[in-house]
Amino acid sequence: MPSEYLPIIKSSTSDEGELIFKDMNEAERFMNLINRHWNHVNHQLDQNDVFLPLLLEDEDDCYFGNDWAKGFLAGTHLLHSIWVEFFDDEEHAGAMVPIWALAHENHLDPEMRPYKEPINDELREKLLIGAAAGVILIHRYFFNDRRANTSRTTTFIGTSGKTGRNDPCLCGSGKKFKKCCGRQSLLH
């Protein structure tokens, strides 16, 4: 839930523990994008749709997945007790192997690295596919617990006005909303 992950996002804060925005519009845009991404991922997983992690590319347009995997592992610390139970489950814990491999690929301690040699493109592709498939399996594992612990009456109410189809997209891409974030299949 947002109340569980927002404190992690706030780790990039001022000395007073506040996220720093230049104005309320930037703060609203940030929260709208975070909530939209959260809803998009949950919808993908709830619909048993293909899950594609949001990966950062480097200056050579390569997607390594290390940052995503490290972020995923950081998320497991939010509710550590349920993840320890999952990690101990011999039938399901294998879904984490590609995520662990990507997260620890460049670990400072060479003993923590999953491979002695650098990961080549072919292996990286297999690990990324395995990580995406692993997330789907992990989602299914926790699905019933999550439904039992989620309030069905909670509604998110946006504070900004409705974006028109021909208005500039709120994400800042410069495109019209209908050609950018207004397309349900597209996510920044």
Side-chain angles (χ1 to χ4, degrees):
M1 297 300 294
S3 61
E4 295 167 332
Y5 66 74
L6 281 175
I8 300 298
I9 292 172
K10 285 183 71 171
S11 65
S12 174
T13 61
S14 68
D15 292 337
E16 294 81 36
E18 299 297 322
L19 287 168
I20 300 172
F21 299 102
K22 63 182 175 187
D23 56 31
M24 281 304 292
N25 286 337
E26 185 179 66
E28 270 186 28
R29 184 169 170 249
F30 173 81
M31 289 306 300
N32 285 338
L33 288 171
I34 292 286
N35 286 320
R36 192 167 144 213
H37 181 67
W38 183 78
N39 286 321
H40 175 76
V41 170
N42 278 303
H43 179 75
Q44 276 185 312
L45 294 171
D46 287 344
Q47 299 302 315
N48 290 318
D49 205 354
V50 173
F51 171 73
L52 301 173
L54 185 59
L55 304 177
L56 299 176
E57 60 184 311
D58 70 1
E59 60 277 353
D60 298 323
D61 296 328
C62 295
Y63 298 90
F64 292 101
N66 306 108
D67 293 327
W68 177 87
K70 288 176 189 175
F72 190 95
L73 290 184
T76 65
H77 295 272
L78 292 172
L79 297 170
H80 188 70
S81 61
I82 67 167
W83 283 96
V84 168
E85 183 180 311
F86 177 78
F87 298 152
D88 289 340
D89 185 322
E90 290 183 23
E91 183 180 342
H92 296 97
M96 287 295 296
V97 170
I99 297 169
W100 282 319
L102 289 167
H104 292 98
E105 175 183 4
N106 301 306
H107 198 282
L108 294 175
D109 179 359
E111 293 296 317
M112 291 295 293
R113 295 178 190 159
Y115 303 98
K116 298 208 184 301
E117 299 296 321
I119 294 176
N120 63 34
D121 292 342
E122 184 180 331
L123 178 55
R124 182 171 313 284
E125 185 174 340
K126 287 180 183 179
L127 289 171
L128 291 170
I129 291 168
V135 169
I136 294 169
L137 296 172
I138 292 165
H139 180 78
R140 288 183 192 147
Y141 177 88
F142 288 115
F143 187 74
N144 290 331
D145 289 339
R146 192 173 47 260
R147 288 188 67 165
N149 294 317
T150 302
S151 170
R152 301 212 185 277
T153 60
T154 303
T155 302
F156 174 77
I157 299 172
T159 58
S160 59
K162 183 176 178 180
T163 303
R165 289 175 36 81
N166 291 315
D167 291 343
C169 190
L170 296 173
C171 74
S173 68
K175 297 179 183 179
K176 289 183 179 183
F177 178 73
K178 68 182 179 185
K179 295 285 187 180
C180 190
C181 294
R183 296 174 58 195
Q184 291 185 11
S185 63
L186 182 65
L187 178 68
H188 294 285

